[in-house]
Amino acid sequence: MNEERIIELEIKVAYQEDLLQALNQVVSQQQQQIDRLEGVCRLLNERMQNLLAETGNTGETVHEIPPHY
């Protein structure tokens, strides 16, 4: 009976190791995606700041009535 229990525990540990490896891979992929998205946001922010500087706009929006009113 003890041998069966040990085998069962070894099987559970093996499944847990596989699951842990799979979860680690998912977390790693998500971190890479987050890093890419942060880079894109940084670039977009820089472009927006450059456009605002070129046009002399302060970035404030003016609430105008749309032309169809």
Side-chain angles (χ1 to χ4, degrees):
M1 181 142 180
N2 284 338
E3 188 174 326
E4 290 176 11
R5 184 166 166 85
I6 290 173
I7 292 172
E8 184 179 324
L9 290 172
E10 288 176 341
I11 291 171
K12 285 183 178 182
V13 167
Y15 281 125
Q16 287 179 351
E17 286 176 353
D18 288 343
L19 178 61
L20 183 62
Q21 187 176 16
L23 290 173
N24 189 34
Q25 184 177 6
V26 168
V27 169
S28 176
Q29 290 171 349
Q30 287 177 339
Q31 185 60 49
Q32 291 173 356
Q33 185 178 16
I34 289 170
D35 292 341
R36 284 192 305 267
L37 290 171
E38 285 178 341
V40 168
C41 286
R42 197 174 309 112
L43 285 173
L44 289 173
N45 191 27
E46 288 174 8
R47 283 184 184 177
M48 197 158 101
Q49 294 300 322
N50 288 340
L51 284 173
L52 291 174
E54 288 175 7
T55 60
N57 194 342
T58 61
E60 296 177 13
T61 58
V62 178
H63 297 288
E64 296 180 6
I65 297 176
H68 62 279
Y69 278 106

